[in-house]
Amino acid sequence: MSGKRVIAICMSGGEFHTEKGGSLSYKGGDAHAIDVDEQMKFIDFISEIGEMFNCDVRTVSLKYFLPDNKKTLISISNDKDLKRMIKFHENSNTADVYLLPEETAPDISNMPASRSSRTTLSEAIPPVPMDDMIDDTMGPEDLPISISVSAPPAVTMEQVMNRAEDAQIVINPSDMISSIVEVSNPKGDILTKARTQQWQNTITGVGQRFKNVGEFREALRKYAIANQFGFRYKKNDSHRVTVKCKAEGCPWRIHASRLSTTQLICIKKMNATHTCEGAGGINGLQTSRSWVASIIKEKLKVFPNYKPKDIVSDIKEEYGIQLNYFQAWRGKEIAREQLQGSYKDGYKQLPLFCEKIMETNPGSLATFTTKEDSSFHRVFVSFHASVYGFLQACRPLVFLDSMPLKSKYQGTLLAATSVDGDDAVFPLAFAVVDAETDDNWEWFLLQLRSALSTSCQITFVADRQKNLQESIPRVFDKSFHAYCLRYLTDELIRDLKGPFSHEIKRLIVDDFYSAAYAPRMDSFERHVENIKGLSPEAYDWIVQKSQPDHWANAYFGGARYNHMTSHSGEPFFSWASDANDLPITQMVDVIRGKIMGLIHVRRISATEANGKLTPSMEVKLEKESVKAQTVEVAICPDNKLFQVRGETYELVNMEQCDCSCKGWQLTGLPCHHALAVINSYGGNPYDYCSRYFTVEHYRSTYSLSINPVLLLEGEMCRESSGGSAVTVTPPPTRRPPGRPPKKKTPAEEVMKRQLQCSRCKGLGHNKSTCKEYLLEC
């Protein structure tokens, strides 16, 4: 197809409603998408619609709305109308098209060509949607959204022409006369007439055959809903079903049984006469979780967060059936399993999926373990592109963190990340484990060491509460463990006892952070003494319990480049949250896809980067260069040291890339004292910057790609390359019922809630204690 193209979202089976203001909304029914361009003929368009909805297109009319006008329906009846619709939507990628029954449309062919001519529809109920004929192989991107809608007041032809003129579209008024139809708000039965018409024929009588007993039961439920009666099962097993009307004394009944040597179910007896006249009522209608799943399945494709309470409301409104919350929740679970595959199948696929990862991404590590009963224990994934980028161009800095998963089975995501030369998060490895334990953390570190295969010293930034003090040095020899400052602050606030005000806690946290970032021991001690003046208890905790050599810049033995927290892995947790409801192999693949996309985008960014340093480092170097203009440089007698005078006196050793302020050593970029020295003898500042910040290394970080992992639908447990069959079952522990609580850390609360004066806008006080106000008085 060529020229302008739009996606026509064709909707059928719903009904129009009038919203406040007179705009129309369309609710219920089914939808399909069709690509339409200026070359498509009207006959081809309606043929494709007829094929998708399995309906006779001669019995329906096609309508659409003008852009930004939900009050007027325009008809599509020939090639010109179709091209006009495309022109109207030239600034949009989609156009909603509604299938309305032809018999309800007024005959306006003989109406005069007057701009004031308009007609109303007494009803706007679309033809029946063919639920059972929807192709289950369609993906979410193939299924358009069916939008809730209603009926408008009259709209004149002048309004339509004005909108067309605004859009610079030439319209022939005579062509538009038969297109404008005002739709009234339909008031009818609880069940839509379209579905009633369709489902009344799901049961036809003796001799009708079904593929299996499940299909027969499903047809029976639809038949009962369409005819508004309830029924009871007298016999109900895998090879025979006997049913009678729920109303006492009603002779309606049906019996079906399996044909010998087949799975086919055939209706053997049926009395189609009802004497109850629907006495059973809609409250007696038979529903099941599988029936609910079949009803909401297509909508769940488009709205993955379709809530059970909304399912209850929609089914009550559309079918007149009152579900309880649990029925809706179970129906949603079944529908989700049909769309995504079962959780059990996901665990079965795990061995093959790990093989596929290493096959499609050579050099990657994907491994899993099971418990003695073959239940899932843990899985680790690290891609070669990530490992190569880290070893070649990233600082030897790894952040470890975890997040509990909210999937059907309990589990925890462990993540190892680093930072690239632009100080952006760089995914390194991740694992899904059954629980966050010391054993699982040590296993994760062992797999990470195997993937990295390096002997260089690495600084790990992690929460000390994860009990990694012993695991990190045991697995990574000569490494450093830096405590995450955010977690450490939470621990400090929790351990503080006594009636401390919010303001006192905030001041303690401020000084604690300042002490952590302080580059030298004297400034560290000064901030700690400030804390002692606020709370001797907090001072004792810092000195005796916190182990400053693991978190304070002044005492830390490794290089952490001023990265004080372990929360660079948050993108991992965001991706995992988006995929929480998926089976484990799909969740892992979603994370893989996110990493693949991130590397691709960063590679483009690195290619477009100008200068010698990455953008963020260029900014930092420029700020230090501005400060360097305010200091004076003096050469010491031995010509090796330089004395720099500004707000403080500092010594700079250019041979050792050292400054007494410690800023150069901590960041990897020359501080303003060093830049002043470099400028004094005409040196090049870029020669003294860490190699990790150069554009060349930045490009090396993202030089390799991650390839997609194709796991064919239906592939389950298969013999592994070792020749032994591996079957992984779900872990025995399932997530407890209820919504997990949202936990706010104490430090977040302290840092977030700051008093602000409404008079002077200053922080730390309110208007009643404002000093400026008191001085004025």
Side-chain angles (χ1 to χ4, degrees):
M1 295 196 293
S2 59
K4 171 60 181 176
R5 185 180 70 172
V6 298
I7 299 175
I9 301 178
C10 303
M11 287 175 271
S12 173
E15 56 184 12
F16 283 102
H17 296 276
T18 305
E19 303 292 349
K20 292 181 180 179
S23 62
L24 287 174
S25 62
Y26 190 80
K27 185 164 187 178
D30 297 298
H32 289 284
I34 300 175
D35 286 337
V36 184
D37 72 351
E38 295 175 345
Q39 307 302 318
M40 176 174 274
K41 299 295 184 182
F42 177 71
I43 186 66
D44 298 329
F45 182 53
I46 60 174
S47 296
E48 192 164 348
I49 289 176
E51 181 180 345
M52 279 190 168
F53 287 96
N54 194 26
C55 66
D56 186 353
V57 293
R58 294 174 297 180
T59 64
V60 298
S61 59
L62 307 181
K63 310 286 182 180
Y64 69 95
F65 286 114
L66 292 169
D68 302 322
N69 179 7
K70 293 294 184 180
K71 299 181 179 181
T72 304
L73 283 171
I74 308 298
S75 293
I76 308 173
S77 57
N78 52 44
D79 292 341
K80 287 185 178 180
D81 291 342
L82 186 61
K83 291 180 180 179
R84 189 178 295 119
M85 181 195 74
I86 297 172
K87 289 181 180 179
F88 270 125
H89 294 83
E90 61 183 356
N91 295 323
S92 175
N93 293 325
T94 61
D96 294 340
V97 178
Y98 307 93
L99 279 67
L100 303 181
E102 189 66 42
E103 59 268 20
T104 61
D107 183 7
I108 57 177
S109 59
N110 298 322
M111 297 179 71
S114 168
R115 288 189 175 185
S116 63
S117 298
R118 55 184 181 267
T119 311
T120 62
L121 287 175
S122 60
E123 282 188 349
I125 303 176
V128 66
M130 294 311 214
D131 293 354
D132 295 311
M133 297 187 180
I134 294 176
D135 183 4
D136 289 339
T137 62
M138 292 173 61
E141 68 278 2
D142 299 319
L143 186 71
I145 299 175
S146 178
I147 306 174
S148 286
V149 201
S150 279
V155 178
T156 65
M157 188 64 173
E158 284 80 0
Q159 291 173 302
V160 178
M161 295 301 294
N162 290 337
R163 290 183 178 273
E165 290 172 4
D166 294 339
Q168 297 180 351
I169 299 175
V170 179
I171 300 180
N172 185 350
S174 62
D175 291 337
M176 296 291 292
I177 293 301
S178 63
S179 300
I180 303 175
V181 180
E182 182 186 352
V183 182
S184 64
N185 187 16
K187 299 289 184 180
D189 297 331
I190 296 176
L191 304 180
T192 63
K193 293 183 179 180
R195 290 189 182 273
T196 301
Q197 293 170 358
Q198 177 197 7
W199 290 353
Q200 281 177 345
N201 298 322
T202 55
I203 299 294
T204 58
V206 175
Q208 186 180 3
R209 298 178 183 179
F210 301 88
K211 293 180 181 179
N212 50 52
V213 70
E215 185 181 80
F216 171 68
R217 294 190 190 109
E218 187 67 26
L220 187 60
R221 291 188 189 98
K222 291 181 178 180
Y223 179 80
I225 290 170
N227 290 279
Q228 297 269 294
F229 73 93
F231 61 84
R232 299 179 187 275
Y233 285 106
K234 301 296 289 183
K235 295 179 181 179
N236 185 20
D237 53 43
S238 61
H239 62 278
R240 60 180 178 176
V241 178
T242 302
V243 179
K244 62 172 291 185
C245 181
K246 191 173 183 179
E248 289 294 333
C250 182
W252 185 94
R253 65 177 56 235
I254 190 171
H255 173 76
S257 61
R258 184 189 298 176
L259 295 176
S260 59
T261 71
T262 71
Q263 293 294 321
L264 297 176
I265 296 293
C266 180
I267 298 178
K268 301 293 182 63
K269 297 179 182 179
M270 180 176 179
N271 184 342
T273 303
H274 277 284
T275 59
C276 62
E277 296 182 355
I282 59 175
N283 292 329
L285 294 178
Q286 291 287 331
T287 60
S288 69
R289 295 169 294 185
S290 59
W291 178 84
V292 175
S294 69
I295 294 299
I296 69 171
K297 181 178 178 181
E298 296 304 318
K299 190 169 183 178
L300 193 63
K301 279 185 180 180
V302 183
F303 301 106
N305 295 323
Y306 196 15
K307 297 180 179 179
K309 66 176 183 179
D310 296 327
I311 295 173
V312 171
S313 176
D314 290 349
I315 289 183
K316 173 64 176 177
E317 183 175 346
E318 294 183 25
Y319 303 99
I321 299 174
Q322 183 64 56
L323 302 178
N324 59 42
Y325 184 92
F326 181 75
Q327 288 172 317
W329 181 84
R330 285 295 301 146
K332 178 183 175 181
E333 290 296 301
I334 293 173
R336 176 183 291 151
E337 192 168 290
Q338 291 172 354
L339 292 171
Q340 302 170 350
S342 70
Y343 287 95
K344 291 183 179 180
D345 290 346
Y347 288 106
K348 288 181 181 179
Q349 289 177 321
L350 195 57
L352 180 59
F353 188 67
C354 289
E355 287 186 17
K356 291 278 188 178
I357 288 177
M358 293 188 288
E359 178 184 321
T360 55
N361 293 270
S364 301
L365 178 60
T367 185
F368 70 97
T369 65
T370 60
K371 296 183 178 179
E372 293 181 357
D373 59 357
S374 296
S375 63
F376 171 79
H377 192 188
R378 50 204 178 189
V379 59
F380 173 92
V381 179
S382 180
F383 293 97
H384 176 61
S386 296
V387 172
Y388 178 85
F390 173 75
L391 295 177
Q392 293 295 317
C394 290
R395 284 159 280 182
L397 192 61
V398 175
F399 305 91
L400 302 177
D401 211 343
S402 63
M403 182 195 77
L405 297 174
K406 301 175 184 177
S407 58
K408 182 176 181 179
Y409 296 94
Q410 282 185 325
T412 301
L413 179 72
L414 310 182
T417 58
S418 186
V419 285
D420 61 22
D422 203 34
D423 263 353
V425 60
F426 181 72
L428 189 54
F430 65 96
V432 178
V433 297
D434 59 345
E436 186 176 8
T437 62
D438 296 348
D439 177 61
N440 280 337
W441 266 116
E442 183 160 346
W443 179 83
F444 177 78
L445 291 172
L446 287 169
Q447 305 310 312
L448 182 62
R449 185 185 66 182
S450 177
L452 295 178
S453 299
T454 180
S455 58
C456 68
Q457 289 184 331
I458 297 177
T459 296
F460 290 90
V461 183
D463 179 15
R464 75 165 179 171
Q465 293 296 317
K466 298 188 185 302
N467 296 322
L468 293 169
Q469 296 98 320
E470 297 180 0
S471 298
I472 289 176
R474 184 162 56 240
V475 178
F476 287 88
D477 189 26
K478 301 179 181 178
S479 61
F480 300 93
H481 181 190
Y483 295 159
C484 171
L485 190 60
R486 184 175 172 183
Y487 283 124
L488 200 62
T489 307
D490 295 341
E491 192 178 343
L492 168 62
I493 297 301
R494 282 195 301 268
D495 289 350
L496 283 180
K497 299 177 181 179
F500 291 103
S501 68
H502 175 80
E503 182 65 13
I504 293 297
K505 288 183 178 181
R506 187 183 65 81
L507 292 174
I508 291 174
V509 170
D510 287 343
D511 278 318
F512 187 60
Y513 267 74
S514 298
Y517 279 96
R520 296 186 302 201
M521 296 181 185
D522 55 344
S523 55
F524 172 86
E525 295 295 339
R526 184 171 64 254
H527 291 295
V528 172
E529 285 296 322
N530 290 340
I531 295 175
K532 185 177 183 180
L534 296 170
S535 168
E537 180 188 358
Y539 173 82
D540 292 339
W541 187 92
I542 292 172
V543 173
Q544 300 174 11
K545 297 182 179 180
S546 68
Q547 299 173 289
D549 55 323
H550 283 279
W551 57 269
N553 277 336
Y555 294 94
F556 187 66
R560 61 192 294 175
Y561 297 89
N562 257 354
H563 284 274
M564 309 300 285
T565 67
S566 62
H567 293 277
S568 70
E570 288 182 354
F572 263 118
F573 307 137
S574 174
W575 300 336
S577 297
D578 294 340
N580 252 329
D581 293 332
L582 296 175
I584 187 167
T585 48
Q586 295 185 37
M587 181 178 69
V588 170
D589 197 51
V590 166
I591 297 176
R592 177 210 57 78
K594 296 288 188 179
I595 300 174
M596 181 178 71
L598 182 143
I599 288 178
H600 176 72
V601 171
R602 297 270 178 83
R603 183 186 301 114
I604 296 174
S605 176
T607 303
E608 296 174 349
N610 297 319
K612 293 187 177 181
L613 300 182
T614 60
S616 65
M617 297 304 163
E618 286 281 7
V619 172
K620 291 181 179 180
L621 189 64
E622 179 62 28
K623 289 181 179 179
E624 293 298 317
S625 298
V626 173
K627 294 180 183 178
Q629 299 174 5
T630 63
V631 299
E632 299 177 356
V633 178
I635 303 177
C636 293
D638 58 2
N639 294 324
K640 292 182 180 180
L641 297 177
F642 294 82
Q643 188 178 37
V644 182
R645 179 180 179 181
E647 295 181 356
T648 60
Y649 287 95
E650 306 294 346
L651 290 178
V652 177
N653 188 327
M654 296 304 296
E655 289 185 355
Q656 298 180 6
C657 295
D658 179 86
C659 178
S660 58
C661 77
K662 301 299 181 182
W664 194 355
Q665 299 93 304
L666 287 176
T667 64
L669 288 175
C671 59
H672 66 280
H673 308 111
L675 287 173
V677 174
I678 294 171
N679 293 335
S680 68
Y681 63 80
N684 187 349
Y686 294 113
D687 294 339
Y688 296 91
C689 297
S690 172
R691 63 185 178 89
Y692 298 117
F693 304 143
T694 63
V695 170
E696 179 183 358
H697 277 67
Y698 186 44
R699 290 170 181 165
S700 296
T701 307
Y702 300 102
S703 58
L704 298 186
S705 301
I706 294 177
N707 299 319
V709 180
L710 179 62
L711 189 60
L712 298 177
E713 186 176 355
E715 284 187 308
M716 297 296 175
C717 176
R718 188 190 73 179
E719 284 195 359
S720 64
S721 57
S724 59
V726 180
T727 301
V728 183
T729 59
T733 54
R734 297 184 61 171
R735 182 171 63 86
R739 182 174 298 172
K742 291 184 178 180
K743 179 182 178 182
K744 289 187 177 180
T745 62
E748 285 180 334
E749 288 292 316
V750 169
M751 299 300 289
K752 181 179 178 181
R753 292 182 54 213
Q754 293 192 35
L755 291 175
Q756 184 175 23
C757 179
S758 59
R759 298 182 186 275
C760 70
K761 306 303 179 184
L763 296 176
H765 64 277
N766 56 27
K767 64 180 180 180
S768 62
T769 57
C770 180
K771 293 181 180 180
E772 293 185 11
Y773 175 71
L774 294 176
L775 290 174
E776 291 177 1
C777 296

